[in-house]
Amino acid sequence: MCRSTSNHTWQHTPVKTFSTMSPNTQDPDDFHNINLPSNRTYLLENLLEIELPRMIYAKPQVLKPPRNDVLMMTPWFAPIVWEGTYNLEILNEQFKQRNVTVGLIIFAIKKYVVFLKNLLETAETYFMVGYKVNYYIFTDRPQEVPKVELKEGRKVVVLQMQNYSRWQEIVLRRMEMIHNFSQKQFINEVDYLVSVDIDMRFNDQVGVEILSDLFGTLHPGFYGAERQSFTYERRPASQAYVPHDEGDFYYAAAFFGGTVKEVYKLTKKCHEAIMVDKDNRIEAIWQEESHLNKYFIYHKPTKILSPEYVWDDNMGRPQILRKRRFLAVRKNHAAIRNK
């Protein structure tokens, strides 16, 4: 069933939408086996060329890094995104020529649906401004999804899912749902996926500077901590187990993403590990966040977002934090969970 207004489209499953916006779409049945044309020369002759126009901007200074108060590059050459470390004008020129579409994944289950309106409204102000965006809303209450005025090229897609009695079970099912829909729907509609927590709001610009094959976000509670302090799963019986002498950073499950193919691989691996744990009657200490952190140790992200992209004002505002782009909203957990 679809309902349309002059500004946006609302889509409910089982309606399946296909988009011709992205040049990278493919048949979902061929997701695992990508066959290249026999004429490889054809591929070379038809590569998309990104050519920047004449632009005036400050010259990068090799001996004067833009930030000397934070780490800007990992040992595996993945950039860490902080305010002041990139030129968004250049990035926008590159990504707009690629005509990218971004999918924002939100789980609005049970009473958490009350946070959806604020999240969507702030996303329309700050998230991927000027780009095509599909808001993928997983919910057990489709009738409560609010109507929000959307800009051109942006739409809400409502995906109904089962409710669960325990909030921990709901959290663990996220990986399964993202994995399933990446294969049968997202791969045909968007180029990148961004998964975020619903009890948050956008507070400043979040644009294409975040996009990469696979990205995670430094957890605001652990970005300055040593690995021994990370709240990894420490029980060897769990598939999320991480020894005390391993780990680079502690990542927040509240904000991660990448290309559809990389997010598919991540969520597939995490879901399989969660199911093994379930069969063994064990649940990782921080549910899907524990499995996400295990995955990122052995599948290094190609880009890392600073705590600017997941912050809680209850933690103050350290000097290194020049922007607070994605903020936790005040809430009563007891009144929301399991309701």
Side-chain angles (χ1 to χ4, degrees), residues 16-30:
K16 189 174 184 180
T17 59
F18 293 89
S19 169
T20 57
M21 295 178 182
S22 169
N24 299 320
T25 58
Q26 68 182 69
D27 187 328
D29 293 333
D30 196 35

Side-chain angles (χ1 to χ4, degrees), residues 199-217:
D199 51 350
M200 306 285 290
R201 65 180 176 89
F202 289 94
N203 186 64
D204 210 320
Q205 297 296 324
V206 175
V208 294
E209 77 278 359
I210 73 171
L211 298 181
S212 187
D213 284 354
L214 183 64
F215 66 82
T217 304

Side-chain angles (χ1 to χ4, degrees), residues 255-319:
F255 201 119
F256 69 92
T259 62
V260 179
K261 293 176 184 177
E262 288 301 322
V263 171
Y264 171 84
K265 290 191 287 186
L266 180 157
T267 53
K268 181 177 186 291
K269 186 80 169 180
C270 289
H271 171 59
E272 290 172 348
I274 289 168
M275 289 298 100
V276 172
D277 274 3
K278 192 176 183 69
D279 289 341
N280 293 328
R281 297 183 179 181
I282 189 169
E283 186 175 279
I285 182 171
W286 291 111
Q287 294 82 43
E288 95 284 23
E289 187 170 85
S290 298
H291 292 277
L292 178 76
N293 273 275
K294 172 73 173 286
Y295 186 88
F296 279 152
I297 292 175
Y298 303 109
H299 308 80
K300 304 295 190 191
T302 54
K303 184 176 287 187
I304 295 174
L305 309 184
S306 71
E308 295 174 4
Y309 294 88
V310 173
W311 191 253
D312 188 332
D313 277 343
N314 289 327
M315 304 179 71
R317 190 173 179 180
Q319 190 172 3

Side-chain angles (χ1 to χ4, degrees), residues 3 27 30 39 49 55 65 70 108 110 155 166 209 225 266 298 304-305:
R3 290 177 288 168
D27 187 328
D30 196 35
N39 187 350
E49 179 181 1
M55 302 176 69
V70 292
K110 296 186 177 183
K155 61 185 178 182
R166 297 171 59 248
E209 77 278 359
L266 180 157
Y298 303 109
I304 295 174
L305 309 184

Side-chain angles (χ1 to χ4, degrees), residues 180-198:
N180 289 342
F181 278 84
S182 291
Q183 182 174 17
K184 69 181 184 179
Q185 182 167 348
F186 300 158
I187 190 64
N188 293 299
E189 299 178 351
V190 297
D191 301 283
Y192 294 92
L193 290 169
V194 181
S195 176
V196 299
D197 277 1
I198 190 173

Side-chain angles (χ1 to χ4, degrees), residues 29-82:
D29 293 333
D30 196 35
F31 191 82
H32 299 282
N33 301 299
I34 302 173
N35 297 316
L36 297 177
S38 56
N39 187 350
R40 302 292 180 92
T41 304
Y42 174 83
L43 293 177
L44 297 176
E45 294 284 347
N46 291 275
L47 292 174
L48 176 65
E49 179 181 1
I50 304 297
E51 181 176 355
L52 297 179
R54 171 175 164 78
M55 302 176 69
I56 305 298
Y57 53 87
K59 175 190 175 298
Q61 299 293 327
V62 173
L63 302 181
K64 296 179 180 180
R67 297 283 297 262
N68 55 21
D69 56 340
V70 292
L71 182 68
M72 294 186 294
M73 184 73 68
T74 69
W76 59 92
F77 287 122
I80 303 177
V81 183
W82 299 86

